[in-house]
Coordinates of all heavy atoms in Angstrom, one line a residue:
M1 N 0.8 -1.2 0.0 CA 0.0 0.0 0.0 C 0.9 1.2 0.0 O 1.9 1.2 0.6 CB -0.9 0.0 1.2 CG -1.8 1.1 1.4 SD -3.4 1.3 0.9 CE -4.3 0.0 0.5
G2 N 0.5 2.3 -0.7 CA 1.3 3.5 -0.8 C 0.5 4.7 -0.4 O -0.3 4.7 0.5
T3 N 0.7 5.7 -1.2 CA 0.0 7.0 -1.0 C -1.2 7.1 -1.9 O -1.1 6.7 -3.0 CB 1.0 8.1 -1.3 OG1 2.1 8.0 -0.4 CG2 0.4 9.5 -1.2
T4 N -2.2 7.8 -1.5 CA -3.4 8.0 -2.3 C -3.5 9.4 -2.7 O -3.4 10.3 -1.9 CB -4.7 7.6 -1.6 OG1 -4.6 6.2 -1.2 CG2 -5.9 7.8 -2.4
L5 N -3.6 9.6 -4.0 CA -3.8 11.0 -4.6 C -5.3 11.1 -5.0 O -5.8 10.2 -5.7 CB -2.9 11.3 -5.7 CG -1.4 11.1 -5.5 CD1 -0.6 11.3 -6.8 CD2 -0.9 12.1 -4.4
Y6 N -6.0 12.2 -4.7 CA -7.3 12.4 -5.2 C -7.2 13.3 -6.4 O -6.7 14.4 -6.3 CB -8.2 13.0 -4.2 CG -8.6 12.0 -3.1 CD1 -7.8 12.0 -1.9 CD2 -9.6 11.2 -3.2 CE1 -8.1 11.1 -0.9 CE2 -10.0 10.3 -2.2 CZ -9.2 10.2 -1.1 OH -9.5 9.3 -0.1
I7 N -7.7 12.9 -7.6 CA -7.6 13.7 -8.8 C -9.0 13.8 -9.4 O -9.8 13.0 -9.1 CB -6.6 13.1 -9.8 CG1 -7.1 11.7 -10.3 CG2 -5.2 13.0 -9.2 CD1 -6.4 11.3 -11.6
A8 N -9.2 14.8 -10.3 CA -10.4 14.9 -11.1 C -10.1 14.1 -12.4 O -9.2 14.5 -13.2 CB -10.7 16.3 -11.4
L9 N -10.9 13.1 -12.7 CA -10.8 12.3 -13.9 C -12.2 12.3 -14.6 O -13.1 11.8 -14.0 CB -10.3 10.9 -13.6 CG -10.2 10.0 -14.8 CD1 -9.1 10.5 -15.7 CD2 -9.8 8.6 -14.3
D10 N -12.3 13.0 -15.7 CA -13.5 13.1 -16.4 C -14.6 13.8 -15.6 O -15.8 13.4 -15.6 CB -14.0 11.8 -17.0 CG -13.1 11.2 -18.0 OD1 -12.4 11.9 -18.7 OD2 -13.1 9.9 -18.1
G11 N -14.1 14.7 -14.7 CA -15.1 15.5 -13.9 C -15.5 14.8 -12.6 O -16.3 15.3 -11.8
I12 N -14.9 13.6 -12.3 CA -15.2 12.8 -11.1 C -14.0 12.7 -10.3 O -12.9 12.4 -10.8 CB -15.7 11.4 -11.5 CG1 -17.0 11.6 -12.4 CG2 -16.0 10.6 -10.3 CD1 -17.4 10.3 -13.0
E13 N -14.1 12.9 -8.9 CA -13.0 12.7 -8.0 C -12.6 11.2 -8.0 O -13.5 10.4 -7.8 CB -13.3 13.2 -6.6 CG -12.1 13.1 -5.7 CD -12.3 13.7 -4.4 OE1 -13.1 13.1 -3.6 OE2 -11.8 14.8 -4.1
T14 N -11.4 10.9 -8.3 CA -10.9 9.5 -8.4 C -9.7 9.4 -7.5 O -8.8 10.2 -7.4 CB -10.5 9.2 -9.8 OG1 -11.6 9.5 -10.7 CG2 -10.1 7.8 -10.0
E15 N -9.6 8.2 -6.8 CA -8.4 7.9 -6.0 C -7.4 7.1 -6.9 O -7.7 6.2 -7.6 CB -8.8 6.9 -4.8 CG -9.6 7.6 -3.8 CD -9.8 6.6 -2.6 OE1 -9.2 5.5 -2.6 OE2 -10.7 6.9 -1.8
V16 N -6.1 7.6 -6.8 CA -5.1 6.9 -7.5 C -4.0 6.6 -6.5 O -3.6 7.5 -5.7 CB -4.5 7.8 -8.6 CG1 -3.3 7.2 -9.3 CG2 -5.5 8.2 -9.6
Q17 N -3.5 5.4 -6.4 CA -2.5 5.0 -5.5 C -1.1 5.0 -6.2 O -1.0 4.7 -7.3 CB -2.8 3.6 -5.0 CG -4.0 3.5 -4.1 CD -4.2 2.2 -3.5 OE1 -3.5 1.2 -3.7 NE2 -5.2 2.1 -2.6
T18 N -0.1 5.5 -5.4 CA 1.2 5.6 -5.9 C 2.2 5.2 -4.8 O 1.9 5.3 -3.6 CB 1.5 7.0 -6.4 OG1 2.9 7.0 -6.9 CG2 1.4 8.0 -5.4
K19 N 3.4 4.8 -5.2 CA 4.4 4.4 -4.3 C 5.6 5.4 -4.5 O 6.7 5.0 -4.1 CB 4.8 3.0 -4.4 CG 3.7 2.1 -4.0 CD 4.1 0.6 -4.1 CE 2.8 -0.1 -3.7 NZ 3.0 -1.4 -3.2
C20 N 5.4 6.6 -5.0 CA 6.4 7.5 -5.3 C 6.9 8.3 -4.1 O 8.0 8.9 -4.1 CB 5.9 8.6 -6.3 SG 5.6 7.9 -7.9
F21 N 6.2 8.2 -3.0 CA 6.5 9.0 -1.8 C 6.6 8.1 -0.6 O 6.5 6.9 -0.7 CB 5.4 10.1 -1.6 CG 5.1 10.8 -2.8 CD1 3.9 10.6 -3.4 CD2 6.0 11.7 -3.4 CE1 3.6 11.3 -4.6 CE2 5.7 12.4 -4.6 CZ 4.5 12.2 -5.2
D22 N 6.9 8.7 0.6 CA 7.0 7.9 1.8 C 5.7 7.0 2.0 O 4.6 7.5 1.8 CB 7.1 8.8 3.1 CG 8.5 9.4 3.2 OD1 9.4 9.0 2.5 OD2 8.6 10.4 4.0
C23 N 5.9 5.8 2.5 CA 4.8 4.9 2.7 C 4.2 5.2 4.0 O 4.4 4.5 5.0 CB 5.3 3.5 2.6 SG 4.0 2.3 2.6
V24 N 3.4 6.2 4.1 CA 2.7 6.6 5.3 C 1.2 6.4 5.2 O 0.5 6.9 6.1 CB 3.1 8.1 5.7 CG1 4.5 8.2 6.1 CG2 2.7 9.0 4.6
L25 N 0.7 5.8 4.1 CA -0.7 5.6 3.9 C -1.5 6.9 4.0 O -2.6 7.0 4.4 CB -1.2 4.6 4.9 CG -0.5 3.2 4.9 CD1 -1.2 2.4 6.0 CD2 -0.6 2.6 3.6
A26 N -0.9 8.0 3.4 CA -1.5 9.3 3.5 C -2.4 9.5 2.2 O -2.3 8.8 1.2 CB -0.4 10.4 3.5
R27 N -3.3 10.5 2.4 CA -4.2 10.8 1.3 C -4.0 12.3 1.0 O -4.0 13.1 1.9 CB -5.6 10.5 1.7 CG -5.8 9.1 1.9 CD -7.2 8.8 2.5 NE -7.4 7.4 2.8 CZ -7.9 6.5 2.0 NH1 -8.3 6.9 0.8 NH2 -8.0 5.3 2.3
Y28 N -3.9 12.7 -0.3 CA -3.6 14.0 -0.7 C -4.5 14.5 -1.8 O -4.9 13.8 -2.6 CB -2.1 14.2 -1.2 CG -1.1 13.8 -0.2 CD1 -0.4 12.6 -0.3 CD2 -0.8 14.7 0.9 CE1 0.6 12.3 0.7 CE2 0.2 14.3 1.8 CZ 0.8 13.1 1.7 OH 1.8 12.8 2.6
R29 N -4.8 15.8 -1.6 CA -5.6 16.5 -2.7 C -4.8 17.7 -3.2 O -3.8 18.1 -2.6 CB -6.9 17.0 -2.1 CG -7.9 15.8 -1.8 CD -9.3 16.4 -1.4 NE -10.3 15.3 -1.4 CZ -10.4 14.4 -0.5 NH1 -9.6 14.3 0.5 NH2 -11.4 13.5 -0.7
L30 N -5.2 18.3 -4.3 CA -4.5 19.4 -4.8 C -4.3 20.5 -3.8 O -5.2 20.9 -3.0 CB -5.4 20.0 -6.0 CG -4.8 21.2 -6.7 CD1 -3.5 20.8 -7.5 CD2 -5.8 21.7 -7.7
G31 N -3.0 20.9 -3.7 CA -2.7 22.0 -2.7 C -2.1 21.5 -1.4 O -1.6 22.2 -0.6
D32 N -2.2 20.1 -1.2 CA -1.7 19.6 0.1 C -0.1 19.5 0.0 O 0.5 19.4 -1.0 CB -2.2 18.2 0.3 CG -3.7 18.2 0.7 OD1 -4.2 19.2 1.1 OD2 -4.3 17.1 0.6
C33 N 0.5 19.5 1.2 CA 1.9 19.2 1.3 C 2.1 17.7 1.4 O 1.5 17.0 2.1 CB 2.5 19.8 2.6 SG 2.5 21.6 2.6
V34 N 3.0 17.2 0.5 CA 3.2 15.7 0.4 C 4.5 15.3 1.1 O 5.6 15.7 0.9 CB 3.3 15.3 -1.1 CG1 3.6 13.9 -1.3 CG2 2.1 15.8 -1.9
D35 N 4.3 14.4 2.1 CA 5.4 13.8 2.9 C 6.3 13.0 1.9 O 5.8 12.2 1.1 CB 4.9 12.9 4.0 CG 4.2 13.6 5.1 OD1 4.6 14.8 5.3 OD2 3.3 13.1 5.7
G36 N 7.6 13.1 2.0 CA 8.5 12.3 1.3 C 8.8 12.9 -0.1 O 9.6 12.2 -0.8
A37 N 8.3 14.0 -0.5 CA 8.6 14.6 -1.8 C 10.0 15.2 -1.7 O 10.3 15.9 -0.7 CB 7.5 15.6 -2.2
A38 N 10.7 15.1 -2.8 CA 12.1 15.7 -2.8 C 12.0 17.2 -3.0 O 11.0 17.7 -3.5 CB 12.8 15.1 -4.0
P39 N 13.0 17.9 -2.5 CA 12.9 19.4 -2.6 C 13.0 19.9 -4.0 O 13.5 19.1 -4.9 CB 14.1 19.9 -1.8 CG 15.0 18.7 -1.6 CD 14.1 17.5 -1.8
G40 N 12.6 21.1 -4.3 CA 12.6 21.7 -5.6 C 11.4 21.3 -6.4 O 10.4 20.9 -5.8
V41 N 11.4 21.5 -7.7 CA 10.2 21.2 -8.5 C 10.5 19.8 -9.1 O 11.5 19.5 -9.7 CB 10.1 22.2 -9.7 CG1 8.9 21.8 -10.6 CG2 9.8 23.6 -9.1
R42 N 9.6 18.9 -8.9 CA 9.7 17.5 -9.3 C 8.4 17.1 -10.1 O 7.3 17.5 -9.8 CB 9.9 16.5 -8.2 CG 11.0 16.8 -7.3 CD 12.3 16.5 -7.9 NE 13.4 16.9 -7.0 CZ 14.7 16.7 -7.2 NH1 15.1 16.2 -8.3 NH2 15.6 17.0 -6.3
V43 N 8.6 16.2 -11.0 CA 7.5 15.6 -11.8 C 7.5 14.1 -11.6 O 8.6 13.5 -11.8 CB 7.6 16.0 -13.3 CG1 6.4 15.3 -14.0 CG2 7.6 17.5 -13.5
Y44 N 6.4 13.5 -11.2 CA 6.2 12.1 -11.0 C 5.1 11.7 -12.0 O 4.3 12.5 -12.3 CB 5.8 11.8 -9.6 CG 6.8 12.3 -8.5 CD1 6.7 13.5 -8.0 CD2 7.8 11.4 -8.1 CE1 7.6 14.0 -7.1 CE2 8.7 11.9 -7.1 CZ 8.6 13.1 -6.6 OH 9.5 13.6 -5.7
F45 N 5.2 10.4 -12.4 CA 4.1 10.0 -13.2 C 3.7 8.6 -12.9 O 4.4 7.8 -12.4 CB 4.4 10.1 -14.7 CG 5.5 9.1 -15.2 CD1 5.1 7.9 -15.8 CD2 6.8 9.4 -15.1 CE1 6.0 7.0 -16.2 CE2 7.8 8.5 -15.5 CZ 7.4 7.3 -16.1
N46 N 2.4 8.3 -13.2 CA 1.8 7.0 -13.0 C 1.0 6.7 -14.3 O 0.3 7.6 -14.8 CB 0.8 6.9 -11.8 CG 1.5 6.7 -10.5 OD1 2.7 7.0 -10.3 ND2 0.7 6.2 -9.5
V47 N 1.0 5.5 -14.7 CA 0.2 5.0 -15.8 C -1.1 4.4 -15.2 O -1.0 3.6 -14.3 CB 0.9 4.0 -16.7 CG1 -0.1 3.5 -17.8 CG2 2.1 4.6 -17.4
M48 N -2.2 4.9 -15.6 CA -3.5 4.5 -15.1 C -4.3 3.7 -16.2 O -4.4 4.2 -17.3 CB -4.3 5.7 -14.6 CG -3.6 6.5 -13.6 SD -4.6 8.0 -13.1 CE -5.8 8.3 -14.3
D49 N -4.8 2.5 -15.8 CA -5.6 1.7 -16.7 C -7.0 1.8 -16.3 O -7.3 1.7 -15.1 CB -5.1 0.3 -16.8 CG -3.7 0.2 -17.4 OD1 -3.4 0.9 -18.3 OD2 -2.9 -0.7 -16.9
L50 N -7.9 2.0 -17.2 CA -9.4 2.1 -16.9 C -10.2 1.1 -17.6 O -9.9 0.7 -18.7 CB -9.9 3.5 -17.3 CG -9.1 4.7 -16.7 CD1 -9.5 6.0 -17.4 CD2 -9.3 4.8 -15.2
D51 N -11.3 0.7 -16.9 CA -12.2 -0.3 -17.6 C -13.3 0.5 -18.4 O -13.2 1.7 -18.4 CB -12.8 -1.3 -16.6 CG -13.7 -0.6 -15.5 OD1 -14.1 0.6 -15.7 OD2 -14.0 -1.3 -14.5
A52 N -14.3 -0.2 -18.9 CA -15.3 0.5 -19.7 C -16.1 1.5 -18.9 O -16.7 2.4 -19.5 CB -16.2 -0.6 -20.3
S53 N -16.2 1.3 -17.6 CA -17.0 2.2 -16.8 C -16.1 3.4 -16.2 O -16.6 4.2 -15.5 CB -17.6 1.4 -15.6 OG -18.4 0.4 -16.0
G54 N -14.9 3.4 -16.6 CA -14.0 4.5 -16.1 C -13.4 4.2 -14.8 O -12.7 5.1 -14.2
N55 N -13.5 3.0 -14.3 CA -12.9 2.6 -13.0 C -11.5 2.2 -13.2 O -11.1 1.6 -14.2 CB -13.7 1.5 -12.3 CG -15.1 1.9 -12.0 OD1 -15.3 3.0 -11.5 ND2 -16.1 1.1 -12.3
L56 N -10.6 2.5 -12.2 CA -9.2 2.1 -12.3 C -9.1 0.5 -12.2 O -9.8 -0.1 -11.5 CB -8.4 2.7 -11.1 CG -8.2 4.2 -11.3 CD1 -7.7 4.7 -9.9 CD2 -7.2 4.5 -12.4
V57 N -8.2 0.0 -13.1 CA -8.0 -1.4 -13.1 C -6.6 -1.7 -12.7 O -5.6 -1.1 -13.2 CB -8.2 -2.0 -14.6 CG1 -7.8 -3.4 -14.7 CG2 -9.6 -1.7 -15.1
Y58 N -6.4 -2.6 -11.7 CA -5.1 -2.9 -11.2 C -4.8 -4.4 -11.5 O -5.4 -5.3 -10.9 CB -5.0 -2.7 -9.7 CG -5.1 -1.3 -9.3 CD1 -6.3 -0.7 -8.8 CD2 -4.0 -0.4 -9.4 CE1 -6.4 0.6 -8.4 CE2 -4.1 0.9 -9.0 CZ -5.3 1.4 -8.5 OH -5.4 2.7 -8.2
G59 N -3.9 -4.7 -12.5 CA -3.4 -6.0 -12.7 C -4.3 -6.9 -13.6 O -4.1 -8.1 -13.7
R60 N -5.4 -6.4 -14.1 CA -6.3 -7.3 -14.9 C -6.4 -6.7 -16.4 O -7.3 -6.0 -16.7 CB -7.7 -7.3 -14.3 CG -7.8 -7.9 -12.9 CD -9.2 -7.9 -12.4 NE -9.9 -6.6 -12.5 CZ -9.9 -5.7 -11.5 NH1 -9.2 -5.8 -10.4 NH2 -10.6 -4.6 -11.7
S61 N -5.4 -7.0 -17.2 CA -5.2 -6.4 -18.5 C -6.4 -6.7 -19.4 O -6.6 -5.9 -20.3 CB -3.9 -6.8 -19.1 OG -3.9 -8.2 -19.3
D62 N -7.2 -7.8 -19.2 CA -8.3 -8.1 -20.1 C -9.4 -7.1 -19.9 O -10.3 -7.0 -20.8 CB -8.8 -9.5 -19.9 CG -9.2 -9.8 -18.4 OD1 -8.6 -9.2 -17.5 OD2 -10.2 -10.5 -18.2
E63 N -9.5 -6.3 -18.9 CA -10.6 -5.4 -18.6 C -10.2 -3.9 -19.1 O -11.0 -3.0 -19.0 CB -10.9 -5.3 -17.1 CG -11.5 -6.7 -16.7 CD -11.9 -6.6 -15.2 OE1 -12.0 -5.5 -14.6 OE2 -12.0 -7.7 -14.6
V64 N -8.9 -3.7 -19.4 CA -8.5 -2.3 -19.8 C -9.0 -1.9 -21.1 O -8.8 -2.6 -22.1 CB -6.9 -2.3 -19.7 CG1 -6.5 -0.9 -20.2 CG2 -6.4 -2.6 -18.3
V65 N -9.7 -0.8 -21.2 CA -10.1 -0.2 -22.4 C -9.5 1.2 -22.7 O -9.6 1.7 -23.8 CB -11.7 -0.1 -22.5 CG1 -12.3 -1.4 -22.4 CG2 -12.2 0.9 -21.4
R66 N -8.8 1.7 -21.7 CA -8.2 3.1 -21.8 C -7.1 3.2 -20.9 O -7.2 2.8 -19.7 CB -9.3 4.1 -21.5 CG -8.9 5.5 -21.6 CD -10.2 6.4 -21.4 NE -9.8 7.7 -20.9 CZ -10.7 8.6 -20.4 NH1 -11.9 8.2 -20.1 NH2 -10.3 9.7 -20.0
S67 N -6.0 3.7 -21.3 CA -4.8 4.0 -20.5 C -4.4 5.5 -20.6 O -4.5 6.1 -21.6 CB -3.6 3.2 -21.0 OG -3.8 1.8 -20.7
L68 N -4.1 6.0 -19.4 CA -3.8 7.4 -19.3 C -2.5 7.5 -18.5 O -2.2 6.7 -17.6 CB -4.8 8.2 -18.6 CG -6.2 8.2 -19.2 CD1 -7.2 8.9 -18.2 CD2 -6.2 8.9 -20.5
T69 N -1.7 8.6 -18.7 CA -0.6 8.9 -17.9 C -0.9 10.1 -17.0 O -1.2 11.1 -17.6 CB 0.7 9.1 -18.8 OG1 0.9 8.0 -19.6 CG2 1.9 9.4 -17.9
L70 N -0.7 9.9 -15.7 CA -1.0 11.0 -14.8 C 0.4 11.6 -14.4 O 1.3 10.9 -14.0 CB -1.6 10.4 -13.5 CG -1.7 11.4 -12.3 CD1 -2.7 12.5 -12.6 CD2 -2.1 10.6 -11.1
F71 N 0.5 12.9 -14.6 CA 1.7 13.6 -14.2 C 1.4 14.4 -13.0 O 0.5 15.2 -12.9 CB 2.2 14.6 -15.3 CG 2.8 13.8 -16.5 CD1 1.9 13.5 -17.6 CD2 4.1 13.4 -16.6 CE1 2.4 12.9 -18.7 CE2 4.6 12.8 -17.7 CZ 3.8 12.5 -18.7
V72 N 2.2 14.2 -11.9 CA 2.1 14.9 -10.7 C 3.3 15.9 -10.6 O 4.4 15.4 -10.5 CB 2.0 14.0 -9.5 CG1 1.9 14.7 -8.2 CG2 0.9 13.0 -9.7
V73 N 3.0 17.2 -10.5 CA 4.1 18.1 -10.4 C 4.0 18.7 -9.0 O 3.0 19.3 -8.5 CB 3.9 19.3 -11.4 CG1 5.0 20.3 -11.3 CG2 3.8 18.7 -12.8
L74 N 5.1 18.6 -8.3 CA 5.3 19.1 -6.9 C 6.4 20.2 -6.8 O 7.4 20.0 -7.4 CB 5.6 18.0 -5.9 CG 4.6 16.8 -5.8 CD1 5.1 15.8 -4.9 CD2 3.3 17.3 -5.4
A75 N 6.0 21.2 -6.1 CA 7.0 22.3 -6.0 C 7.2 22.5 -4.5 O 6.3 22.8 -3.7 CB 6.5 23.6 -6.6
H76 N 8.5 22.3 -4.0 CA 8.8 22.4 -2.6 C 9.4 23.8 -2.4 O 10.3 24.2 -3.0 CB 9.8 21.3 -2.2 CG 10.3 21.4 -0.8 ND1 9.6 21.1 0.3 CD2 11.5 21.8 -0.3 CE1 10.3 21.3 1.4 NE2 11.5 21.7 1.0
G77 N 8.9 24.5 -1.4 CA 9.4 25.8 -1.1 C 8.8 26.9 -1.9 O 9.3 28.0 -1.9
V78 N 7.8 26.7 -2.6 CA 7.1 27.7 -3.5 C 5.8 28.1 -2.8 O 5.0 27.2 -2.5 CB 6.9 27.2 -4.9 CG1 6.2 28.3 -5.7 CG2 8.2 26.8 -5.6
P79 N 5.6 29.4 -2.5 CA 4.3 29.7 -1.8 C 3.1 29.4 -2.7 O 3.2 29.5 -4.0 CB 4.5 31.2 -1.6 CG 5.5 31.7 -2.5 CD 6.4 30.5 -2.8
P80 N 1.9 29.1 -2.1 CA 0.7 28.8 -2.9 C 0.2 30.1 -3.6 O 0.5 31.2 -3.1 CB -0.3 28.3 -1.9 CG 0.2 28.8 -0.6 CD 1.7 28.9 -0.7
L81 N -0.5 30.0 -4.7 CA -1.0 31.1 -5.4 C -2.3 31.6 -4.8 O -3.0 31.0 -4.2 CB -1.3 30.7 -6.9 CG -0.1 30.2 -7.7 CD1 -0.6 29.8 -9.0 CD2 0.8 31.4 -7.8

């Protein structure tokens, strides 16, 4: 289990799990401070596979109808807008 990111996917809030950061079982939304993120501006990415209903598919390639790449851009030490 890793970190959960909440993103908007096709206008719906969706949970995406990643292991890019500290394994603290944390949940983050846009604007949150992320534990374990490296200093400076960093870009992380996850490939997301979706089924016909738009649900995330983990490890069942026969159900995948759409694949997307999620880019997560984090800026450490930059004040919020």
Side-chain angles (χ1 to χ4, degrees):
M1 176 96 16
T3 300
T4 300
L5 303 174
Y6 289 94
I7 65 164
L9 180 61
D10 296 333
I12 299 169
E13 185 176 71
T14 304
E15 289 185 13
V16 177
Q17 292 184 356
T18 181
K19 296 185 183 203
C20 292
F21 313 109
D22 286 347
C23 189
V24 293
L25 304 178
R27 298 171 183 268
Y28 299 105
R29 289 186 166 77
L30 182 63
D32 289 345
C33 292
V34 177
D35 291 328
V41 176
R42 305 288 181 178
V43 179
Y44 302 87
F45 71 94
N46 276 23
V47 175
M48 303 180 338
D49 294 323
L50 306 169
D51 65 13
S53 299
N55 298 314
L56 289 167
V57 175
Y58 295 99
R60 300 179 310 267
S61 62
D62 58 324
E63 296 181 19
V64 175
V65 297
R66 180 174 158 198
S67 290
L68 302 171
T69 302
L70 169 68
F71 290 94
V72 179
V73 180
L74 300 178
H76 176 73
V78 178
L81 299 175

